[in-house]
Each structure stands twice: as C-alpha cells, then as structure tokens.
Amino acid sequence: MYLCIRKAYYIIYKGIMTLSEIEGKLASEQEKQGVSYTFLVKNGLGYSTVKKIQTGENYQVRRLFTYLNFLCLFLMVDGYVMEDIEELGAYLSRRRLELGLTLGRVAGSMGTSIGIVQKIEKGKGYNRDSLLKYLEVTGNIEFDIVEMVDYFD
C-alpha cells in the first residue's frame, strides 16, 4: 500500500472580491499566521512593499505573489488557482482572446503601449495600477484567497 500526498486548496475568503479587498485581508492573515515583518524583510520583501500591498498603493504585482507565498496562500481568479504571476498573465491573455480583444485595442483603451499589455500577459514586471487599468478594459474578474493543504490518499 502506498501513500500519496496530494495537494488540495481550501478557500479562505470566498466571494466576488476585488483586488483591493484581497489586499485588505492580507494583514489579518499575516497576523493570524504569526508571520513577522522581520521575517519578511530578512527574506527580501521590504516593509514598505508589504504596507503598499496591504493598503492598495501601487506596487509590483510580482511582490504580491511573493507575499502570498510567505503566507502559504494563493490567489484564485475566476475559480482557477494562480501560483505565480506568469500563470495569471497566461490566464488574462486567454481571457482577452476569448473576449475578441486585440492587444492594440486593449493598449489604446488603457492609454499605454502594446508592450505593457504584453508584459501583463507574460507576467513580466508590471505594477498594480497597470493591472487595474487592464481589468477595467477587459472586465473585472473574481478574486479569492486560497490556502494549500497536503492530504494523504
């Protein structure tokens, strides 16, 4: 008989949440889990970055995924778990194509370049403000926070 470790996701905050609502929940999750700012800073996530995420100021979206990782949490978008920024970008790209929107149309509506839209869709270094503009153009998505747990089969 073999035991198999499987990954399961447990939804902590379920509902149609905005990015701002997700950000607002992270401070209480950090406190609940006992993750100190000292730990975060020692591991490369600056205090000011954490505060920007928690208060919804502009920050690099990659840092949100780093923060979630330190809290053993994941972002769920429209029912799909996003383990990293690249996975989010690929999902956003597929969604844009399903909506029949071109890169040029999205960029024009955002008031930015096609290159910024490509960065978002490839998960390559973009900030919160750019993501929010992108979502304004392509339509909002449903966010949840999930926790990954191991279980034995």
Side-chain angles (χ1 to χ4, degrees):
M1 174 184 214
Y2 295 97
L3 284 179
C4 181
I5 298 175
R6 298 186 187 269
K7 302 288 184 193
Y9 297 99
Y10 173 74
I11 298 175
I12 297 175
Y13 296 106
K14 176 70 176 157
I16 300 174
M17 297 179 72
T18 64
L19 185 57
S20 295
E21 290 169 326
I22 292 289
E23 293 160 341
K25 300 282 186 196
L26 294 178
S28 63
E29 278 301 311
Q30 179 184 336
E31 185 177 329
K32 184 170 88 175
Q33 294 184 26
V35 176
S36 70
Y37 288 105
T38 303
F39 170 82
L40 295 171
V41 170
K42 282 183 181 178
N43 287 284
L45 192 61
Y47 177 81
S48 64
T49 299
V50 173
K51 285 301 183 185
K52 285 179 181 180
I53 292 170
Q54 292 173 348
T55 59
E57 293 179 46
N58 202 22
Y59 58 84
Q60 290 296 311
V61 174
R62 180 172 301 283
R63 305 311 279 164
L64 173 63
F65 282 91
T66 302
Y67 186 35
L68 288 167
N69 185 286
F70 284 134
L71 299 177
C72 299
L73 301 174
F74 295 93
L75 196 61
M76 183 178 273
V77 176
D78 290 341
Y80 298 98
V81 175
M82 304 292 150
E83 294 192 12
D84 56 40
I85 193 172
E86 290 83 9
E87 202 168 346
L88 175 61
Y91 174 77
L92 294 174
S93 178
R94 284 191 308 274
R95 192 167 165 275
R96 174 186 56 79
L97 291 171
E98 288 171 1
L99 293 170
L101 298 171
T102 65
L103 287 170
R105 182 169 174 201
V106 172
S109 296
M110 287 175 63
T112 192
S113 69
I114 289 175
I116 295 295
V117 176
Q118 289 173 322
K119 280 184 172 188
I120 291 169
E121 293 184 355
K122 291 181 181 180
K124 302 295 179 194
Y126 59 92
N127 62 38
R128 178 187 191 273
D129 290 349
S130 294
L131 177 60
L132 292 178
K133 285 180 187 174
Y134 181 95
L135 294 175
E136 284 176 17
V137 173
T138 61
N140 286 324
I141 54 181
E142 180 180 324
F143 290 99
D144 297 304
I145 299 175
V146 297
E147 179 178 34
M148 187 170 59
V149 294
D150 294 333
Y151 68 93
F152 297 96
D153 207 7

